[in-house]
Amino acid sequence: MTDLERPERHEYDVIVIGAGGAGLRAAIEAREQGLRTAVICKSLFGKAHTVMAEGGIAASMGNANEKDSWQVHFRDTMRGGKFLNNPRMAELHAKEAPQRVWELETYGALFDRTPDGRISQRNFGGHEYPRLAHVGDRTGLELIRTLQQKIVSLQQDDHRETGDHESRLRVFAELTITDILKDEGGVVSGAFGYWRESGKFVVFSAPAIILATGGIGKSFKVTSNSWEYTGDGHALALRAGAALINMEFIQFHPTGMVWPPSVKGILVTESVRGDGGVLRNSDGNRFMFDYVPDVFRGQYADSEEEADRWYKDPENNKRPPELLPRDEVARAINSEVKEGRGSPHGGVFLDVSTRLPAEEITRRLPSMHHQFKELADVDITAEPMEVGPTCHYVMGGVEVDADTAATAVPGLYAAGEVAGGMHGSNRLGGNSLSDLLVFGRRAGAGAAAYVAALGDSRPAVREEDVATATEVALAPFRAASENPYTVHSEMQQKMNDLVGIIRREGEVREALEMLDEMDERVKRVGVQGKRPFNPGWHLALDLRNMLAVCRCVALAALERNESRGGHTREDFPTMDPQWRGVNLVCTIDEVGGVALRRQPVPEIRQDLLELFERSELAKYLTGEELARRDEPAV
Ligand code: FAD
């Protein structure tokens, strides 16, 4: 056996796959609980999606409005998710987010301040009060910088104690995991992957694995996501025997760049609207006033004058409709463009230049100013931007226990964007960064407790599984008839066109037929060259993950005969209370296909239901559910 053929071997207590906010917070927790922990990431350390987060992290610290509280944050999150959220996750998230933000400052983060020195909080769509703690429009950078700094400080502690910086916490960067390994009893025993640079295989033995691999955006043509978001964690979990829930709910962020073509999809942060930016069509109309849905009427301004007054006096005025939840704004933009009132390059106009002085725009939105100047030669202090919807975030993901982040597979945990349930049918801006920290910490603690309970009995990696994983990884070198780039590009275009922002039964069926065909084509994907530095090979391996994820999205999109949050069916345009209590669950069937079933959404506890007016609940719940709510407590 040559050196390249012989896999490298490592043994840990906990393996965290993903070095974004969720993965790093999970690793810190596991390490602080005394476990030998490895963090693995596909890209460079520090280059996870989390670093791209701009607007901020949502937490009800009440610094900008003391009426804010976890209860108000919980309410907003449930409304944003159209009541399909896992209520326990939404509760824990709202309660624990402020602690996680303050904790970050103890790690060395420095958020923007109010004049009296408190952490400043900004407005964002769907949040009743200014709630997003931020560092200009580079909040994710500060979050990742701080978590990495904490990792380094833990490594320095280990060096002092053991003489080795990596004795209890090691980062493996540019290493892709392709399979989760299990022992005979179906319990997690490790993971298999390869170094991207050398192509050398690596086998990790560990009783607990935390998936923190982020999103799936690269399955769609127009996306704000970068190259590594190919749904690996979703597919790894599925193949390992865990369930994916709510995969039909994909967030199309309303404002991505639309021009020039090379940057189409890159995000334009919601902070532009939070800080006063308005959306206009080609007739110059501020069209969002025409798109306030009934469930939100009463919370949003009826006139431009009232909307503008809200920025200065939120107590006595209603919010501008530009700050409706993202799904509403994305659909409105889509309609305006379809009706022929779009901008020259197929978007609408987002204007902050006539709303704020130039120096304030460059102070509050430095990255946006730079991004448009450099990429589109547009000066946002003097002219409007052109924007349109872009695939941004997946609400669906691995089904987990709210308190421990455990999946159905013993030893497998998931946190962050890869996990499902928390955001229901639509995520509010800023609620991801807080989700990462709250549930990253819980996943680290959950995995630590699991490992502690195992004692000395460690599940063993089966060598036949290593051999199979090696075979699968090498298969593209033996096939030759399909080019991975062509297959990927066709799949992305079809997903965009057929299972995108507006869905129709016939088109989703067409997408499923396309995926059947892709199944065969992906088996024939072949690559040239050798294992070192071979991006075509990497994509060939990612394709099987994207295929699995796309199938879950399409199957669930076909099944859900209603429109809710990030799932819009043109043939079923309204929300149906009968569907509110239904999660669609995907698992692998006996022959390796995807099976879909319906499962009840966990019930909302009575004390949480009582946080809402009955009239509001009546918009979402069935008569039966309402009657239960009205029953006197026994
Ligand atoms: P990520 O940060 O996405 O990290 C995933 C990690 O997994 C990476 O390290 C990756 O290399 C690794 N990985 C993936 N697959 C594998 C594999 N097979 N093997 C090994 N490693 C693997 N949310 C907010 O709350 N506020 C915002 O202001 C905001 N702005 C955003 C702006 C942009 C441009 C984007 C794209 C997103 C934004 N979001 C925002 C969403 C938020 O940033 C993400 O949802 C969040 O960062 C996801 O974090 P995560 O820890 O789950 O995963």
Side-chain angles (χ1 to χ4, degrees):
M1 212 188 248
T2 66
D3 217 26
L4 191 61
E5 282 159 4
R6 194 176 305 113
E8 194 177 301
R9 304 244 172 192
H10 299 278
E11 208 178 314
Y12 285 91
D13 296 322
V14 176
I15 289 174
V16 181
I17 309 175
L24 294 186
R25 188 61 191 82
I28 289 166
E29 192 65 21
R31 159 63 188 79
E32 285 196 319
Q33 301 215 13
L35 300 191
R36 289 192 67 241
T37 306
V39 182
I40 302 171
C41 55
K42 196 165 163 176
S43 54
L44 292 168
F45 191 46
K47 205 231 123 265
H49 249 165
T50 304
V51 86
M52 294 159 77
E54 293 157 358
I57 173 166
S60 60
M61 294 182 289
N63 291 349
N65 189 323
E66 60 194 24
K67 285 200 200 140
D68 205 5
S69 65
W70 78 260
Q71 289 91 339
V72 184
H73 193 181
F74 171 81
R75 263 200 319 247
D76 290 344
T77 301
M78 294 293 290
R79 283 176 186 142
K82 304 263 165 55
F83 278 67
L84 202 125
N85 321 53
N86 176 320
R88 175 69 179 155
M89 290 178 92
E91 178 195 5
L92 290 171
H93 167 259
K95 281 182 172 164
E96 294 177 9
Q99 288 156 255
R100 299 283 77 77
V101 173
W102 287 314
E103 175 184 72
L104 266 192
E105 289 222 330
T106 70
Y107 293 175
L110 194 54
F111 286 95
D112 290 352
R113 293 320 229 223
T114 59
D116 62 354
R118 289 180 295 172
I119 293 175
S120 159
Q121 298 191 267
R122 66 162 44 120
N123 284 305
F124 240 53
H127 292 280
E128 189 167 337
Y129 299 119
R131 189 178 283 146
L132 268 70
H134 54 91
V135 183
D137 57 3
R138 297 180 182 132
T139 312
L141 176 64
E142 182 71 350
L143 197 130
I144 281 288
R145 182 191 72 73
T146 315
L147 292 171
Q148 285 191 198
Q149 186 172 308
K150 178 70 180 171
I151 297 249
V152 169
S153 95
L154 288 168
Q155 289 177 323
Q156 286 169 343
D157 289 349
D158 286 344
H159 183 255
R160 267 191 298 276
E161 265 182 55
T162 67
D164 176 3
H165 284 104
E166 294 181 328
S167 53
R168 281 185 291 206
L169 183 52
R170 178 170 168 192
V171 178
F172 294 79
E174 297 196 89
L175 196 159
T176 302
I177 294 297
T178 58
D179 281 290
I180 303 291
L181 305 172
K182 298 193 294 181
D183 76 355
E184 281 103 31
V187 170
V188 163
S189 61
F192 178 89
Y194 65 91
W195 287 108
R196 298 177 74 80
E197 192 180 323
S198 63
K200 192 173 166 59
F201 294 128
V202 191
V203 177
F204 291 91
S205 302
I209 292 186
I210 300 172
L211 295 169
T213 48
I216 66 163
K218 275 295 168 191
S219 304
F220 289 81
K221 192 78 181 175
V222 180
T223 178
S224 64
N225 289 194
S226 69
W227 65 268
E228 68 240 72
Y229 296 99
T230 50
D232 295 6
H234 290 77
L236 287 169
L238 195 65
R239 287 200 295 272
L244 301 186
I245 56 169
N246 303 341
M247 290 302 286
E248 66 276 36
F249 297 117
I250 309 276
Q251 183 170 86
F252 291 86
H253 194 290
T255 60
M257 291 179 83
V258 294
W259 183 259
S262 58
V263 299
K264 192 167 178 167
I266 289 186
L267 194 75
V268 180
T269 176
E270 192 169 320
S271 317
V272 177
R273 283 171 286 134
D275 288 352
V278 292
L279 291 163
R280 293 189 195 282
N281 62 20
S282 56
D283 300 333
N285 287 337
R286 218 173 135 180
F287 57 84
M288 279 310 300
F289 288 94
D290 303 333
Y291 291 94
V292 182
D294 284 345
V295 283
F296 289 120
R297 221 168 271 289
Q299 292 159 41
Y300 287 83
D302 304 313
S303 67
E304 291 194 27
E305 294 70 30
E306 182 180 18
D308 286 347
R309 283 197 305 267
W310 175 84
Y311 288 99
K312 292 259 157 56
D313 180 12
E315 293 299 313
N316 299 307
N317 295 286
K318 287 179 280 172
R319 311 161 62 75
E322 282 86 0
L323 292 180
L324 275 159
R326 289 174 177 174
D327 54 328
E328 309 291 354
V329 184
R331 273 192 297 271
I333 293 176
N334 199 60
S335 300
E336 286 298 305
V337 175
K338 232 167 117 188
E339 297 294 321
R341 295 187 290 270
S343 64
H345 299 106
V348 294
F349 297 104
L350 172 60
D351 183 25
V352 71
S353 66
T354 55
R355 313 269 304 165
L356 292 176
E359 60 280 8
E360 202 167 334
I361 296 173
T362 46
R363 184 176 60 78
R364 296 170 80 120
L365 302 163
S367 300
M368 282 304 106
H369 183 250
H370 179 80
Q371 178 174 312
F372 272 89
K373 196 78 202 112
E374 291 300 311
L375 301 179
D377 197 24
V378 166
D379 177 359
I380 69 167
T381 65
E383 52 194 320
M385 301 159 242
E386 277 186 73
V387 295
T390 179
C391 175
H392 183 57
Y393 185 89
V394 59
M395 272 71 69
V398 184
E399 187 178 32
V400 289
D401 171 63
D403 291 73
T404 60
T407 72
V409 178
L412 189 62
Y413 295 76
E417 190 170 341
V418 71
M422 160 65 211
H423 305 284
S425 67
N426 176 48
R427 172 179 71 87
L428 294 186
N431 268 2
S432 172
L433 293 187
S434 38
D435 164 2
L436 309 182
L437 299 179
V438 168
F439 294 104
R441 186 188 76 84
R442 285 185 164 270
Y450 172 79
V451 174
L454 283 181
D456 292 334
S457 69
R458 294 283 163 119
V461 166
R462 290 185 297 184
E463 287 311 311
E464 59 268 36
D465 292 345
V466 174
T468 309
T470 309
E471 274 297 295
V472 172
L474 292 175
F477 289 105
R478 289 193 275 273
S481 55
E482 291 281 357
N483 178 311
Y485 294 99
T486 311
V487 172
H488 185 210
S489 165
E490 286 178 25
M491 188 195 295
Q492 287 179 308
Q493 190 66 59
K494 293 276 186 192
M495 286 303 288
N496 234 81
D497 295 346
L498 304 175
V499 203
I501 186 164
I502 308 287
R503 296 156 178 180
R504 299 161 193 92
E505 177 177 341
E507 290 184 356
V508 181
R509 286 193 188 282
E510 206 184 308
L512 283 163
E513 281 167 27
M514 173 278 292
L515 291 169
D516 286 341
E517 196 192 303
M518 287 282 171
D519 260 340
E520 291 310 308
R521 291 178 65 188
V522 166
K523 283 183 199 141
R524 296 195 300 269
V525 159
V527 293
Q528 306 287 314
K530 299 215 160 43
R531 277 156 62 190
F533 302 109
N534 194 334
W537 177 43
H538 303 164
L539 178 60
L541 297 181
D542 292 343
L543 277 174
R544 79 172 169 145
N545 296 334
M546 285 187 270
L547 205 54
V549 162
C550 289
R551 186 170 294 279
C552 294
V553 173
L555 280 173
L558 183 63
E559 181 79 0
R560 187 174 284 276
N561 288 337
E562 66 154 356
S563 292
R564 182 184 297 270
H567 170 65
T568 304
R569 282 283 297 264
E570 197 177 63
D571 40 357
F572 297 94
T574 54
M575 208 159 52
D576 175 352
Q578 296 297 340
W579 272 105
R580 196 225 42 98
V582 181
N583 277 338
L584 293 177
V585 181
C586 291
T587 47
I588 289 284
D589 63 21
E590 316 77 61
V591 290
V594 175
L596 181 87
R597 65 168 199 276
R598 298 182 184 193
Q599 179 176 289
V601 174
E603 269 192 31
I604 310 174
R605 264 194 345 254
Q606 186 74 6
D607 58 314
L608 296 176
L609 275 180
E610 281 166 7
L611 297 173
F612 298 90
E613 297 284 332
R614 192 182 190 285
S615 57
E616 182 171 16
L617 291 176
K619 297 174 187 169
Y620 296 98
L621 307 190
T622 60
E624 228 173 83
E625 287 172 315
L626 272 179
R628 271 206 304 277
R629 179 217 182 249
D630 295 341
E631 277 167 19
V634 272

